Amino acid sequence: MVSSVDTVIGLLLGISAFLFLLSFVAYRRSGVRRMLLLSEGLIIHISFSVIVIVSSYATDWLENVEVTTLAIADIAILAAVLVLGIVGGRTNAGST
């Protein structure tokens, strides 16, 4: 059975994949390093979300874990990636 937390994690995964696509295309077109840093961070978030989703459905590793905690951790990782990608990329921005 799919719970609302699974839906939230799936939506965050979709948002992260969409932002990755936009930032990667922007980097390829403009060469601005800020977009590369953001793309790399979003790959980390996408891989975390996929690992959580696959391990929760395919195995019983997360059986005793509170799923709300996983959703909050997923939101925190996405927020940290966006903040570090934008702020960290500004300090090192430049063309390649």
Side-chain angles (χ1 to χ4, degrees):
M1 184 166 146
V2 177
S3 68
S4 61
V5 176
D6 294 335
T7 305
V8 168
I9 292 176
L11 286 173
L12 290 173
L13 178 62
I15 291 169
S16 183
F18 178 70
L19 290 174
F20 168 73
L21 181 66
L22 287 178
S23 65
F24 185 72
V25 169
Y27 170 70
R28 296 292 292 170
R29 291 191 63 166
S30 67
V32 176
R33 306 256 321 153
R34 177 174 49 174
M35 292 298 126
L36 178 64
L37 182 63
L38 184 59
S39 297
E40 291 170 348
L42 287 170
I43 285 294
I44 292 170
H45 177 260
I46 289 170
S47 63
F48 175 76
S49 296
V50 168
I51 288 171
V52 166
I53 291 170
V54 168
S55 63
S56 67
Y57 281 109
T59 66
D60 58 349
W61 294 342
L62 302 176
E63 186 175 295
N64 296 328
V65 176
E66 182 66 33
V67 291
T68 308
T69 307
L70 288 175
I72 292 171
D74 199 33
I75 292 169
I77 290 172
L78 181 59
V81 162
L82 291 176
V83 167
L84 290 176
I86 293 170
V87 173
R90 280 196 185 138
T91 60
N92 298 324
S95 60
T96 57

